[in-house]
Amino acid sequence: MTKNSTAQDIALIAVFAAIVIVLGFVSIPVGVAGVPIVLQNAAVILAGLVLGWRRGFATAAIFLLVGLALPVLAGGRTVISALGGATVGYLAGYLVSAAVAGAIAYLAPFKSNKAATIGILILAGYVALFFQYLCGVFGLMWRAQMSFGAAWAAQAPFLLPDAGKIALMIAIAFAVHQAFPDLRGRRA
């Protein structure tokens, strides 16, 4: 991948959107307000870590646009059905977290310093996860009529599983950037 073209960008966005959709088949109900443990939230962060903020955001946007018509969300739901539920904030968080992960991750010196790159990817992954939670909290406050404190407390069952998922996504992102050092292209 020595040349970063529009066609490559579209292909990468489509592949990552497909990955996010496929991971929608994994859903474990847990916690307050019917919010399940899913892999899609980690996949949108992976898209940002690997593709950068623009392509990561576009991946999340395409995923959500497809979800307007097709049941691509965890549990076989559409975005339309989720808009009226407690998970609406998390959907907005997908867009924010992909962009945040990509913006921070692409500060890393991928080619020159592996330790610094890993550190920046760790920061990017967990800050992005924080923004997913934050958006989710506002969604819970809005749709589930929870207080700010109760909505934050509702995140507790997800902390360890999400921390593990993000650690895996960071390892994958690091491996992808090592295997494809020119992935950043001119957008670096």
Side-chain angles (χ1 to χ4, degrees):
M1 283 195 205
T2 57
K3 182 181 175 192
N4 193 350
S5 69
T6 302
Q8 277 181 326
D9 288 347
I10 292 169
L12 289 167
I13 291 165
V15 166
F16 274 87
I19 290 168
V20 175
I21 290 168
V22 167
L23 291 177
F25 292 109
V26 179
S27 175
I28 303 166
V30 70
V32 181
V35 180
I37 292 177
V38 298
L39 292 176
Q40 288 178 322
N41 69 323
V44 295
I45 291 173
L46 176 64
L49 293 173
V50 171
L51 301 177
W53 82 267
R54 285 185 185 115
R55 295 179 292 184
F57 181 88
T59 297
I62 294 295
F63 160 68
L64 292 173
L65 286 172
V66 169
L68 289 172
L70 300 173
V72 299
L73 294 180
R77 297 180 314 142
T78 64
V79 169
I80 296 289
S81 69
L83 290 176
T87 59
V88 66
Y90 296 101
L91 298 181
Y94 285 2
L95 295 166
V96 173
S97 64
V100 166
I104 296 171
Y106 270 44
L107 297 174
F110 289 103
K111 294 181 182 177
S112 62
N113 188 333
K114 288 182 182 183
T117 297
I118 292 170
I120 290 172
L121 288 174
I122 289 169
L123 177 68
Y126 289 107
V127 168
L129 182 61
F130 169 79
F131 276 100
Q132 273 188 8
Y133 284 161
L134 183 63
C135 291
V137 163
F138 288 119
L140 290 171
M141 290 171 61
W142 180 34
R143 293 295 188 187
Q145 308 305 315
M146 298 175 104
S147 69
F148 186 76
W152 270 113
Q155 310 300 316
F158 304 98
L159 292 176
L160 287 176
D162 283 348
K165 291 184 295 185
I166 298 305
L168 178 61
M169 296 304 126
I170 290 164
I172 292 169
F174 181 74
V176 168
H177 283 293
Q178 292 299 301
F180 301 100
D182 293 329
L183 185 63
R184 289 171 40 161
R186 292 180 298 238
R187 286 175 177 75

